[in-house]
Amino acid sequence: MTLKVHHFLPAHSLTQANLLKPWADEITEASDGRIQFQFYPSMQLGGTPPQLVDQVRDGVADIVWTLPGYNSGRFPLISVFEQPFMSRSAEATSQAMWEFVAKHGEKEFAGMHLLATHTTDGALIHTGKKPINRMADFRGKKIRAANRTSTKLISLLGGTPVAMPVPQIPEALSKGVVDGAIVPWDVVPALKLHELVGHHTEMAEGKPALMYTVMILAMNPATYEGLPEDLRKIIDERSGAVLSRRAGQLFDEIAVQNGHRLAESRGNMIHQLSEDEQQKWMKVAERLDQDWIKEVEGKGYANGAALLEDARQLIQQHSDTASR
């Protein structure tokens, strides 16, 4: 069987080259070639990035790697891991998310078979001519947002959010539609973002990341159930918590290193917030917790505050384990 894998980044992206392709190769080898994979990067099967979740449910693709946040309001539960300043580690957050979804996410992910949940590396602020080193620097700036949470955060910090999928960022920067973008280092090589901006603002050393971007690797359930039991076992053993953790490690380490290297090679400036300035941002962002609680409770989930606390505790547990 040949499985069609669809996603929105180029073939040379970290996601395909360092995460999905090695995973697929392991499965092909373990199955003695009975499972093959055909990759369709850059939306080659058609449609737009927000349509990927429906494509895997409808069987247009067998497997998709995508960002649930592109589908505004459809995945409120998992968006808790995109709350600002939740974590310092993609590895810990990715593992926490897998456990959280297993406990609470059956309704939200109905119609798809999850293979992994993970985050990219922590988002930072990339701007063209002027850096953002304090909250006042957001004033008058149009900043690309990925989802509802980042849209609200940019507004609270004083900027003007402009929502768009990742592939549209280069053109938007080139034409002045936006002055900057909140994205992780991960997408810098794929989009050649370092050639379009001159400044990159990270959070204070040792402090939580601005926010993380939630990603899922999902399979059409009929395709999965149609496989013989031994082949399902081969996929299961290499997916789930194991793949989620591997993805988080990859983005924590390689994505950040690659991004720094490319930015420095162009002579770009990498800035870091002061601890005092970050504390101001974190204080402003606290009100978004109540927004999330209200949203999930409006979607039928009981006790949003307890769900938020569970997500935080799971991140802390995995952070403690990783530091030992």
Side-chain angles (χ1 to χ4, degrees), residues 49-84:
Q51 293 172 330
L52 284 165
V53 291
D54 290 322
Q55 288 184 356
V56 78
R57 282 172 167 154
D58 297 340
V60 173
D62 297 305
I63 296 171
V64 301
W65 177 83
T66 191
L67 190 157
Y70 282 159
N71 299 266
S72 182
R74 290 179 62 183
F75 295 92
L77 190 69
I78 202 172
S79 71
V80 68
F81 293 96
E82 295 180 325
Q83 289 294 99

Side-chain angles (χ1 to χ4, degrees), residues 45 64 111 158 160 162 169 195 210 216 241 267 283:
L45 286 178
V64 301
T160 301
V162 182
I169 294 174
E195 298 177 7
L210 180 66
I216 60 170
K283 185 68 176 175

Side-chain angles (χ1 to χ4, degrees), residues 213-229:
T213 301
V214 166
M215 310 300 306
I216 60 170
L217 185 67
M219 189 171 181
N220 176 269
T223 302
Y224 175 79
E225 293 297 337
L227 292 172
E229 184 178 351

Side-chain angles (χ1 to χ4, degrees), residues 76-290:
L77 190 69
I78 202 172
S79 71
V80 68
F81 293 96
E82 295 180 325
Q83 289 294 99
F85 308 111
M86 281 281 283
S87 176
R88 298 172 178 83
S89 161
E91 178 184 349
T93 308
S94 298
Q95 293 176 91
M97 188 167 18
W98 181 260
E99 290 188 26
F100 185 85
V101 169
K103 290 167 67 175
H104 308 294
E106 182 178 356
K107 179 175 73 173
E108 187 152 291
F109 291 96
M112 63 177 75
H113 177 79
L114 282 182
L115 297 169
T117 59
H118 74 93
T119 70
T120 59
D121 53 298
L124 61 152
I125 309 162
H126 311 264
T127 49
K129 297 178 181 178
K130 295 181 179 180
I132 290 181
N133 290 321
R134 54 199 180 99
M135 210 180 305
D137 296 334
F138 276 99
R139 196 173 301 125
K141 296 284 196 311
K142 294 174 290 185
I143 306 293
R144 177 266 178 180
N147 51 43
R148 293 171 72 185
T149 303
S150 58
T151 295
K152 292 178 181 179
L153 179 62
I154 291 166
S155 293
L156 286 174
L157 294 173
T160 301
V162 182
M164 67 181 69
V166 161
Q168 295 177 15
I169 294 174
E171 183 177 6
L173 284 166
S174 298
K175 293 184 175 180
V177 175
V178 295
D179 301 299
I182 291 181
V183 291
W185 283 115
D186 157 52
V187 303
V188 169
L191 301 182
K192 298 184 178 178
L193 193 62
H194 56 294
E195 298 177 7
L196 299 168
V197 301
H199 299 274
H200 313 269
T201 303
E202 298 181 321
M203 298 299 100
E205 186 174 357
K207 292 294 183 180
L210 180 66
M211 61 197 320
Y212 284 89
T213 301
V214 166
M215 310 300 306
I216 60 170
L217 185 67
M219 189 171 181
N220 176 269
T223 302
Y224 175 79
E225 293 297 337
L227 292 172
E229 184 178 351
D230 64 323
L231 294 187
R232 292 201 303 270
K233 183 179 179 182
I234 287 171
I235 292 175
D236 292 346
E237 289 174 345
R238 290 156 182 82
S239 304
V242 172
L243 184 60
S244 298
R245 181 182 185 186
R246 185 197 300 178
Q249 289 174 325
L250 179 71
F251 284 96
D252 271 339
E253 297 166 8
I254 298 178
V256 176
Q257 292 170 9
N258 288 349
H260 272 239
R261 177 176 50 80
L262 287 172
E264 290 165 356
S265 73
R266 293 280 298 186
N268 292 1
M269 299 296 294
I270 299 175
H271 310 269
Q272 212 168 48
L273 286 188
S274 69
E275 288 192 23
D276 287 346
E277 184 64 24
Q278 178 156 344
Q279 283 300 136
K280 294 176 184 176
W281 293 25
M282 291 171 70
K283 185 68 176 175
V284 167
E286 285 178 0
R287 69 187 71 179
L288 294 180
D289 286 348
Q290 292 304 314

